[in-house]
Amino acid sequence: MYEIATIDYIIIALYLAGMVGVGLWFAKKHTDFEDFFLASRSLTTPLLITTLISTYYGIDVLFGDSQLGFTNGVVAWFAYARPTYAFFLIAAFLLAHRLREDDFKSLPDILDKYYGKKTRYVGAVTSFIYSLPALSLYGFGMLGEVILGWEPIMGMVVLGGIALVYTLTGGFWAVAFTDSIQFVLMCVVLAMAFPFAMNLIGGFDEMIEVLEPSYFDTMGDMSIWLIIIYASTGLSILVEPTFYQRIFAAKSYKNVRNALVIGIFIWGSYDWIITIIAMAAKVAVIQGTLPFDVAPDAALLTIMVAALPAGALGLFMAGVLSTEMSTLDSYCLVAGGNVAYDIYKPAFKPEASDQELIKTTRHGILLSWVLGFAMAISFDQMLGLWVFMASILISSVLAPILLGMYVPNFRKPLAGFLSAGLGLVSTVILNIYIMTNGVFDLEEETYIIDWFGIDFMLEFVMYITVPISLIGFFVGVLFDKGDHHE
Amino acid sequence: MSNWEIFTWITVIILGFGSVAVFVLFVKDIKEILKKFHKE
């Protein structure tokens, strides 16, 4: 635990109380399900920017980027973060427009329209698993321990519980409002932190002089296969359930496009500053200002505690908490919607009223939180879980959604069902197989299994499961003799 | 000042002022939205 002044604690407490206040304020104001789940499709460009950016950036990005910046330098931005922006541009100009053509409310809605109910349910299960907040809760455990000196489980319950309360009560309006406050907090604090970090190490020129030249090599020394895999995880943006939810909740397509184009500059700046501050932490370690054994994923937090004055540190800590809360609330809400709107209503009660749907969504939010909590306390290696979560979505729904969207003749029920179903099942089986039969490599920080003399990493699962999903799709197109859907 | 440093300062300005500008526009929009809630 770090030394933190009383004023910093007061700032953190005020921030947490404010978040709960917003949720309670919206508690009784929802008119119908669309209002609760999509804020009546009335999000304007500024609201979309704030909610898109704060949701997509959890502490996995904050600490993941900073860990790479600390150990490898600017490659963290050029090879990991930059490809993502290309996918956001694709989403802005090629995807969002088509998603707004119909009255969709969720990702499984699209699968239902293209392929029918069975594929809808597979998509709903995939989206629900992907949205379980296990990583966020694990992150809260870590933050509670580092910032407040709590046991990890206490951090998960208290900090994760606060995000749960305002999501349960306030729905998407509360999520969008809190996201906006969290957005400005995390961005301003990070921008403010840069000069303090430079002041600590003696300036930017000192950093260039002290660090090895490889720290400024834009492509570093990573293998091309890993670069391809990390770059292709950006594909998940094209089928991201929370991203889709924001596109559906926008006032118009133009709002989405403008928000994404403006957002890319803010995303890029955010990633870059994290990378540079983490590199500054490395300099501080070499200079002896920070302890030599500082963990790479704690580098960002450690240098901030050393560099920021009281008050500013409290804001930074609140900013870090914001980063994670805005992620947890959004995913819980999507998971709740999957339970109520995508499964319960079509499968069990088509005549369910809006109030009933809101109530069931709240039950779904609670269920996703509890399942995420169980996963967070039972998994030893969160990285393995992260890879699983990322691969499940791409392997299952990417092919049927994009192929169905652009080639209407491919909209055959069997094609959608086989593609999504085989993608989901093969991802689950392969991940479990490698995690149970492989070994965790501390150097590579991933599970590795020896297959035919090749060290097969957990990250490579998508090289098998995406082709399986594609084969399933085209087998379905070939053997489904019925008319295409819609 | 190196090109890396110039680039970093540009990102600091984009992040700092850009996020505040977006937040100001958000506050303007929010006034309208809150009016809707008060009416209801």
Side-chain angles (χ1 to χ4, degrees), chain A residues 176-200:
Chain A
F177 264 63
T178 50
D179 279 1
S180 302
I181 299 161
Q182 289 156 352
F183 160 84
V184 73
L185 199 57
M186 64 193 231
C187 291
V188 169
V189 167
L190 197 68
M192 213 173 67
F194 169 71
F196 283 104
M198 288 302 111
N199 188 41
L200 183 80

Tab-separated table of all heavy atoms in Angstrom, chain A residues 176-200:
chain	number	residue	atom	x	y	z
A	176	ALA	N	-24.299	6.005	-18.775
A	176	ALA	CA	-23.797	7.051	-19.676
A	176	ALA	C	-23.366	8.302	-18.889
A	176	ALA	O	-22.325	8.902	-19.185
A	176	ALA	CB	-24.869	7.411	-20.700
A	177	PHE	N	-24.143	8.676	-17.873
A	177	PHE	CA	-23.795	9.854	-17.061
A	177	PHE	C	-22.495	9.639	-16.289
A	177	PHE	O	-21.610	10.480	-16.294
A	177	PHE	CB	-24.930	10.162	-16.069
A	177	PHE	CG	-25.872	11.202	-16.555
A	177	PHE	CD1	-26.626	10.984	-17.697
A	177	PHE	CD2	-26.014	12.400	-15.887
A	177	PHE	CE1	-27.510	11.940	-18.165
A	177	PHE	CE2	-26.901	13.372	-16.343
A	177	PHE	CZ	-27.646	13.139	-17.481
A	178	THR	N	-22.434	8.503	-15.601
A	178	THR	CA	-21.225	8.242	-14.805
A	178	THR	C	-20.019	8.080	-15.724
A	178	THR	O	-18.931	8.543	-15.405
A	178	THR	CB	-21.391	6.985	-13.928
A	178	THR	OG1	-21.872	5.916	-14.750
A	178	THR	CG2	-22.334	7.213	-12.784
A	179	ASP	N	-20.228	7.450	-16.889
A	179	ASP	CA	-19.131	7.308	-17.860
A	179	ASP	C	-18.567	8.677	-18.230
A	179	ASP	O	-17.360	8.839	-18.410
A	179	ASP	CB	-19.628	6.639	-19.157
A	179	ASP	CG	-19.699	5.124	-19.029
A	179	ASP	OD1	-19.382	4.610	-17.943
A	179	ASP	OD2	-20.085	4.460	-20.012
A	180	SER	N	-19.447	9.663	-18.372
A	180	SER	CA	-19.008	10.991	-18.801
A	180	SER	C	-18.153	11.664	-17.735
A	180	SER	O	-17.137	12.293	-18.042
A	180	SER	CB	-20.216	11.876	-19.124
A	180	SER	OG	-20.974	11.235	-20.118
A	181	ILE	N	-18.578	11.521	-16.484
A	181	ILE	CA	-17.784	12.094	-15.388
A	181	ILE	C	-16.447	11.346	-15.308
A	181	ILE	O	-15.380	11.941	-15.157
A	181	ILE	CB	-18.552	11.986	-14.053
A	181	ILE	CG1	-19.861	12.781	-14.158
A	181	ILE	CG2	-17.710	12.496	-12.888
A	181	ILE	CD1	-20.896	12.410	-13.128
A	182	GLN	N	-16.544	10.026	-15.435
A	182	GLN	CA	-15.332	9.206	-15.351
A	182	GLN	C	-14.379	9.518	-16.499
A	182	GLN	O	-13.164	9.536	-16.336
A	182	GLN	CB	-15.735	7.721	-15.350
A	182	GLN	CG	-16.397	7.321	-14.035
A	182	GLN	CD	-17.315	6.118	-14.146
A	182	GLN	OE1	-17.591	5.637	-15.235
A	182	GLN	NE2	-17.787	5.628	-13.018
A	183	PHE	N	-14.942	9.789	-17.675
A	183	PHE	CA	-14.139	10.109	-18.859
A	183	PHE	C	-13.274	11.347	-18.616
A	183	PHE	O	-12.057	11.313	-18.800
A	183	PHE	CB	-15.072	10.336	-20.057
A	183	PHE	CG	-14.466	11.111	-21.192
A	183	PHE	CD1	-13.698	10.462	-22.153
A	183	PHE	CD2	-14.669	12.478	-21.318
A	183	PHE	CE1	-13.136	11.177	-23.206
A	183	PHE	CE2	-14.116	13.193	-22.370
A	183	PHE	CZ	-13.345	12.534	-23.310
A	184	VAL	N	-13.900	12.428	-18.176
A	184	VAL	CA	-13.144	13.672	-18.033
A	184	VAL	C	-12.117	13.533	-16.918
A	184	VAL	O	-10.983	14.018	-17.013
A	184	VAL	CB	-14.076	14.900	-17.833
A	184	VAL	CG1	-14.699	14.928	-16.476
A	184	VAL	CG2	-13.341	16.193	-18.112
A	185	LEU	N	-12.496	12.792	-15.864
A	185	LEU	CA	-11.572	12.589	-14.748
A	185	LEU	C	-10.330	11.834	-15.213
A	185	LEU	O	-9.200	12.244	-14.978
A	185	LEU	CB	-12.315	11.791	-13.664
A	185	LEU	CG	-11.756	11.825	-12.258
A	185	LEU	CD1	-11.659	13.242	-11.753
A	185	LEU	CD2	-12.656	11.016	-11.328
A	186	MET	N	-10.539	10.712	-15.917
A	186	MET	CA	-9.384	9.901	-16.297
A	186	MET	C	-8.501	10.599	-17.338
A	186	MET	O	-7.282	10.470	-17.299
A	186	MET	CB	-9.798	8.487	-16.730
A	186	MET	CG	-10.654	8.369	-17.961
A	186	MET	SD	-11.357	6.690	-18.095
A	186	MET	CE	-10.887	6.302	-19.776
A	187	CYS	N	-9.112	11.372	-18.250
A	187	CYS	CA	-8.312	12.046	-19.290
A	187	CYS	C	-7.524	13.226	-18.720
A	187	CYS	O	-6.323	13.357	-18.953
A	187	CYS	CB	-9.215	12.547	-20.418
A	187	CYS	SG	-9.922	11.233	-21.398
A	188	VAL	N	-8.204	14.094	-17.961
A	188	VAL	CA	-7.538	15.296	-17.447
A	188	VAL	C	-6.414	14.917	-16.485
A	188	VAL	O	-5.304	15.474	-16.537
A	188	VAL	CB	-8.569	16.228	-16.757
A	188	VAL	CG1	-7.879	17.332	-15.984
A	188	VAL	CG2	-9.496	16.825	-17.796
A	189	VAL	N	-6.708	13.936	-15.634
A	189	VAL	CA	-5.700	13.539	-14.650
A	189	VAL	C	-4.466	12.975	-15.347
A	189	VAL	O	-3.328	13.274	-14.981
A	189	VAL	CB	-6.305	12.517	-13.656
A	189	VAL	CG1	-5.225	11.861	-12.836
A	189	VAL	CG2	-7.299	13.212	-12.752
A	190	LEU	N	-4.680	12.191	-16.396
A	190	LEU	CA	-3.544	11.601	-17.105
A	190	LEU	C	-2.725	12.685	-17.822
A	190	LEU	O	-1.493	12.665	-17.791
A	190	LEU	CB	-4.036	10.561	-18.116
A	190	LEU	CG	-2.954	9.609	-18.593
A	190	LEU	CD1	-2.484	8.685	-17.485
A	190	LEU	CD2	-3.436	8.781	-19.775
A	191	ALA	N	-3.425	13.639	-18.457
A	191	ALA	CA	-2.714	14.728	-19.143
A	191	ALA	C	-1.891	15.536	-18.134
A	191	ALA	O	-0.754	15.924	-18.395
A	191	ALA	CB	-3.715	15.629	-19.864
A	192	MET	N	-2.478	15.741	-16.956
A	192	MET	CA	-1.828	16.515	-15.907
A	192	MET	C	-0.604	15.778	-15.345
A	192	MET	O	0.367	16.396	-14.907
A	192	MET	CB	-2.864	16.694	-14.788
A	192	MET	CG	-2.799	17.958	-14.011
A	192	MET	SD	-4.249	17.970	-12.925
A	192	MET	CE	-3.911	16.627	-11.805
A	193	ALA	N	-0.680	14.445	-15.374
A	193	ALA	CA	0.371	13.636	-14.749
A	193	ALA	C	1.685	13.691	-15.530
A	193	ALA	O	2.760	13.539	-14.955
A	193	ALA	CB	-0.100	12.186	-14.638
A	194	PHE	N	1.590	13.920	-16.846
A	194	PHE	CA	2.796	13.860	-17.682
A	194	PHE	C	3.897	14.829	-17.226
A	194	PHE	O	5.042	14.408	-17.000
A	194	PHE	CB	2.421	14.077	-19.159
A	194	PHE	CG	3.600	14.298	-20.046
A	194	PHE	CD1	4.470	13.252	-20.340
A	194	PHE	CD2	3.879	15.560	-20.556
A	194	PHE	CE1	5.581	13.469	-21.144
A	194	PHE	CE2	4.989	15.776	-21.362
A	194	PHE	CZ	5.840	14.733	-21.654
A	195	PRO	N	3.591	16.153	-17.060
A	195	PRO	CA	4.683	17.042	-16.630
A	195	PRO	C	5.262	16.669	-15.267
A	195	PRO	O	6.464	16.834	-15.040
A	195	PRO	CB	4.016	18.425	-16.579
A	195	PRO	CG	2.585	18.233	-16.866
A	195	PRO	CD	2.360	16.867	-17.363
A	196	PHE	N	4.416	16.160	-14.371
A	196	PHE	CA	4.928	15.742	-13.050
A	196	PHE	C	5.928	14.582	-13.210
A	196	PHE	O	6.965	14.538	-12.547
A	196	PHE	CB	3.781	15.306	-12.134
A	196	PHE	CG	3.017	16.466	-11.553
A	196	PHE	CD1	1.761	16.815	-12.030
A	196	PHE	CD2	3.562	17.225	-10.519
A	196	PHE	CE1	1.060	17.891	-11.508
A	196	PHE	CE2	2.862	18.298	-9.975
A	196	PHE	CZ	1.606	18.636	-10.476
A	197	ALA	N	5.590	13.639	-14.101
A	197	ALA	CA	6.476	12.492	-14.320
A	197	ALA	C	7.806	12.958	-14.911
A	197	ALA	O	8.880	12.491	-14.531
A	197	ALA	CB	5.805	11.479	-15.239
A	198	MET	N	7.724	13.918	-15.868
A	198	MET	CA	8.952	14.427	-16.489
A	198	MET	C	9.813	15.159	-15.459
A	198	MET	O	11.031	15.063	-15.456
A	198	MET	CB	8.599	15.385	-17.644
A	198	MET	CG	8.037	14.696	-18.871
A	198	MET	SD	9.152	13.458	-19.551
A	198	MET	CE	8.281	11.960	-19.196
A	199	ASN	N	9.131	15.893	-14.585
A	199	ASN	CA	9.835	16.631	-13.541
A	199	ASN	C	10.606	15.671	-12.626
A	199	ASN	O	11.746	15.934	-12.230
A	199	ASN	CB	8.800	17.434	-12.738
A	199	ASN	CG	9.455	18.371	-11.753
A	199	ASN	OD1	10.456	18.991	-12.079
A	199	ASN	ND2	8.918	18.437	-10.552
A	200	LEU	N	9.996	14.518	-12.354
A	200	LEU	CA	10.623	13.542	-11.457
A	200	LEU	C	11.910	12.972	-12.048
A	200	LEU	O	12.887	12.754	-11.340
A	200	LEU	CB	9.627	12.398	-11.167
A	200	LEU	CG	10.102	11.337	-10.184
A	200	LEU	CD1	9.950	11.829	-8.749
A	200	LEU	CD2	9.334	10.039	-10.368
